[in-house]
Every structure is written in structure tokens, then in C-alpha cells.
């Protein structure tokens, strides 16, 4: 188990995300969206664990670190299977009073489900920023969907290895 990680499962998730192409994808997500934080997260009914992270805003998470799943929008994505994209929570009636943006201090958010090759839900490709960002453009959404699919391919290949 890696030092500082909660348990063996968290260490396994961090190992799953330990991939240069996933790191490059997170870089591209931040470049595309202007957001300062991007992650691949393993999301189960009980847990949200960072598999890989690019943190330019000092959010404070590293691979293997965990958030309480019930405090994440990713938990809702696990239930719905639908992406969530928010340019600015303050101007969005659906999200301005939601506890997650308030708790974590972000204004913009994008998160896309990751489904493995066998059809099982792995988690999300997500990004946040404390400033409003325009992420709801069709081309941006299509690119983020493609990145989530590529991450799924990488993770699926690791499972078969």
C-alpha cells in the first residue's frame, strides 16, 4: 500500500491512474476548459477516490486521495450515467444552491462518466475551477466525451493486462 493512502483499494485506484496518457489527457482537459483542476475518479456507491489528478489551483487532492462520495456531483453521475457541465453555478438555478459547489468552492464544473469495456461504470473524468468558465460549447463537450472514452480504453486495457 502506498504511504499516506487510506487502504489497499485506494492504492489500487492510484495505480490504475498511474499512466502517462491519462496525465496528458488531464493536461488537455485543463487547456481546453481553462479550468485549474482535472481528475479521473473511481466512483462507487461508497467511495470517491482520485485515480489521477492535475491540480493547478491547490485543491489539495493527489492520486489515491478520497472525498466523501455523498458530497460529490460524481455520485449523481454514477446514478444517472449523464454528464454534468456547468459554466457558472452562480447563474444557474439548478446548481446555485447545490451543496457541492458551495462546499468545494467552485463555479465551473464538468464531469463525464467513464464506462469500461465490459460496460461497468468506473467513475468520472471531471474538472473544476473557482472561476466561471465556458465549458458548455458543443465542441468542448464532444472533446471531453472523447477524452472520457479514451480514459476508459486505457483503464480497460490495464484490467486485461
Amino acid at each position: 500500500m502506498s504511504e499516506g493512502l487510506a487502504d489497499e483499494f485506494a492504492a489500487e485506484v492510484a495505480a490504475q491512474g498511474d499512466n502517462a496518457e491519462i496525465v496528458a489527457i488531464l493536461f488537455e482537459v485543463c487547456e481546453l476548459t481553462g479550468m485549474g483542476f482535472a481528475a479521473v475518479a473511481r466512483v462507487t456507491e461508497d467511495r470517491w477516490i482520485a485515480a489521477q489528478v492535475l491540480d493547478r489551483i491547490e485543491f489539495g487532492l493527489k492520486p489515491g486521495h478520497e472525498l466523501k462520495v455523498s458530497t460529490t456531483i460524481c455520485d449523481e453521475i454514477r446514478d444517472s450515467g449523464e454528464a454534468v457541465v456547468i459554466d457558472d453555478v452562480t447563474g444557474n438555478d439548478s446548481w446555485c444552491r447545490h451543496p457541492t459547489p458551495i462546499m468545494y468552492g467552485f463555479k465551473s464544473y464538468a464531469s463525464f462518466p467513464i464506462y469500461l469495456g465490459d460496460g461497468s461504470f468506473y467513475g468520472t473524468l471531471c474538472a473544476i475551477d473557482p472561476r466561471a468558465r465556458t465549458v458548455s460549447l458543443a465542441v468542448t463537450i464532444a472533446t471531453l466525451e472523447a477524452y472520457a472514452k479514451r480514459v476508459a480504453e486505457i483503464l480497460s486495457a490495464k484490467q486485461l493486462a
Side-chain angles (χ1 to χ4, degrees), residues 41-83:
R42 177 74 171 103
V43 183
T44 69
E45 285 186 23
D46 303 318
R47 302 182 75 177
W48 185 107
I49 301 172
Q52 188 53 261
V53 173
L54 177 60
D55 186 359
R56 298 174 174 171
I57 59 171
E58 298 181 22
F59 190 64
L61 289 178
K62 296 190 181 316
H65 287 181
E66 188 163 355
L67 298 175
K68 186 175 179 184
V69 72
S70 63
T71 68
T72 70
I73 296 171
C74 296
D75 189 38
E76 297 173 32
I77 293 167
R78 181 187 51 77
D79 288 339
S80 72
E82 299 292 324

Side-chain angles (χ1 to χ4, degrees), residues 101-134:
I102 295 166
M103 174 182 280
Y104 293 117
F106 62 81
K107 288 192 177 181
S108 59
Y109 178 86
S111 188
F112 291 77
I114 297 170
Y115 287 96
L116 299 178
D118 64 3
S120 65
F121 179 81
Y122 178 84
T124 59
L125 171 64
C126 54
I128 63 169
D129 199 88
R131 293 179 290 183
R133 304 289 185 182
T134 302

Side-chain angles (χ1 to χ4, degrees), residues 2 27 160:
S2 298
F27 177 83
L160 299 174

